Amino acid sequence: MPLMVVTVFLGGWEFTVHHMDIPRSLLPAPSYVYERMRTTFSPLMTNAWPTTLETMVSFLIATVGGVVLALALTSSTLMNASFYPIVVFFQLIPKIALAPLFVVWMGIGSTTRIEFAAFMAFFPVVISTMAGLRATPGDALRLCQGLTATPWQVFFLVRLPYAVPYIFSGMKIAITLAMIGVIVAEFISAERGLGYLIVFASSQADTALILAAILILCAIGLVLYGLVALGEWLAMRRYC
């Protein structure tokens, strides 16, 4: 069904562009976008690599940092009371608006883009992991206490299995936000990457190249999301 919907949409797009004689600079036909992507495939792939790499690194940083912070907040009442309101406060900030500040504070470079993207992807992992760690039924915890289980045994054998679906839900959101963060940062401070290529194509009114770069971004995003979903499936088989 999704393939049928996409086929009908592309067919209607192609027909509308040719029937209404819409300029290519405004809205190119899908066939022309494909031709433009074919002729610029090499630079598209060259710029796709740094975007993909920075997205993956920022996602890993956000995931590890988010899970660690969530563990700290759920294991200590004092930590939770002290830092959870701050986490919520930062979650409410429109983080894209902070991208120029990251450039001012940290300069222009790959490190800045990774840190900004990790900042964007960090909070969903924290919130989801905390929700998962708190989802453990009280009966299971009382049973562990009755069996004199150690805190580490309780965590790895009880709390973590219950939290796995929540953690991966946060990770699925985080991988999309990490890519958005990298692209936004590339708009501002990059000399390579698909975000930079989109800005360059926009300055040339090359709408077809913009759409081709967006199509590549969608493909990369689907692959990365699929890898997270695969990790969730493997984890669920391990714990469920």
Side-chain angles (χ1 to χ4, degrees), residues 28-229:
S31 58
Y32 183 71
V33 174
Y34 170 76
E35 179 63 22
R36 191 76 177 96
M37 184 170 62
R38 188 182 65 82
T39 57
T40 59
F41 187 75
S42 179
L44 281 170
M45 291 299 100
T46 300
N47 286 279
W49 169 247
T51 299
T52 304
L53 180 61
E54 290 168 2
T55 299
M56 294 174 63
V57 173
S58 59
F59 167 73
L60 291 175
I61 293 173
T63 300
V64 174
V67 170
V68 170
L69 180 59
L71 289 174
L73 294 179
T74 54
S75 62
S76 170
T77 304
L78 179 61
M79 287 280 292
N80 185 74
S82 301
F83 291 99
Y84 185 70
I86 299 175
V87 172
V88 175
F89 172 77
F90 276 105
Q91 175 67 7
L92 298 175
I93 296 176
K95 289 175 280 296
I96 291 179
L98 298 178
L101 287 178
F102 272 78
V103 175
V104 171
W105 291 336
M106 302 175 185
I108 298 175
S110 178
T111 302
T112 301
R113 295 190 291 275
I114 290 173
E115 290 176 350
F116 176 71
F119 174 73
M120 285 197 62
F122 175 76
F123 298 102
V125 179
V126 176
I127 302 301
S128 298
T129 304
M130 289 182 65
L133 293 174
R134 291 171 174 172
T136 307
D139 292 341
L141 295 177
R142 284 190 290 272
L143 177 61
C144 291
Q145 291 177 351
L147 296 174
T148 66
T150 65
W152 284 108
Q153 289 175 322
V154 173
F155 173 75
F156 283 107
L157 299 179
V158 181
R159 284 188 177 275
L160 185 60
Y162 277 104
V164 163
Y166 294 84
I167 294 173
F168 276 95
S169 295
M171 290 171 64
K172 289 177 180 177
I173 299 173
I175 191 65
T176 60
L177 291 179
M179 176 165 283
I180 292 172
V182 169
I183 294 300
V184 170
E186 287 180 347
F187 285 165
I188 299 173
S189 66
E191 295 182 351
R192 60 176 185 167
L194 290 175
Y196 165 77
L197 190 62
I198 290 172
V199 173
F200 174 78
S202 176
S203 67
Q204 304 295 317
D206 193 345
T207 309
L209 182 57
I210 295 174
L211 292 174
I214 292 174
L215 184 61
I216 298 297
L217 280 173
C218 291
I220 295 171
L222 285 174
V223 171
L224 296 178
Y225 186 91
L227 291 176
V228 175

